[in-house]
Amino acid sequence: MIDTSQGVVVRQRIHLADLDGFGMLYHARYATIFDNAVQDFWVEAGWRLDPSKSVLVIRDLQLTYHQPVLGITDVDVHFWVERAVRRA
C-alpha cells in the first residue's frame, strides 16, 4: 500500500499511444504522465500558464514503479514537493 498522507494524487488517463508492443506503459512515458499530472494539479489549483509571470520547472525527478501499467486505463499519480525555490 502506498502512503498518500504526504503529497497529492492526480488521476491520469493512459492512451494507446502510451503503450509498448506488449500493451504495457512504455517506460519513457512515465515521466510524461507525471508531468501531465503536475500541470493538471496546478491548473485545478488556479495557476494559469503565463511565462511572463511564472514558469514551472522540474529540476529533479525520481520515479518508483510499484507495478506495471497494463492497457488503456486510468492511473493515480502520487507526487509531492520536497523542496521549492524561487529565482528572480
Side-chain angles (χ1 to χ4, degrees):
M1 188 68 168
I2 300 171
D3 176 14
T4 58
S5 62
Q6 180 180 11
V8 297
V9 176
V10 178
R11 186 156 283 246
Q12 291 292 296
R13 185 75 162 151
I14 304 301
H15 300 276
L16 182 62
D18 298 321
L19 305 177
D20 64 15
F22 298 105
M24 295 174 27
L25 183 61
Y26 179 62
H27 69 89
R29 297 295 291 166
Y30 278 86
T32 301
I33 300 300
F34 166 77
D35 193 47
N36 292 340
V38 171
Q39 289 180 36
D40 288 351
F41 169 79
W42 284 115
V43 167
E44 289 181 27
W47 180 69
R48 297 293 171 244
L49 177 61
D50 183 352
S52 69
K53 294 182 180 180
S54 64
V55 179
L56 174 65
V57 177
I58 298 170
R59 180 176 177 208
D60 185 34
L61 172 64
Q62 178 182 346
L63 299 171
T64 302
Y65 311 101
H66 292 281
Q67 63 188 34
V69 176
L70 303 172
I72 298 170
T73 189
D74 291 334
V75 296
D76 289 331
V77 178
H78 175 218
F79 63 93
W80 60 94
V81 175
E82 290 187 2
R83 188 179 77 179
V85 297
R86 180 179 182 146
R87 306 271 187 210

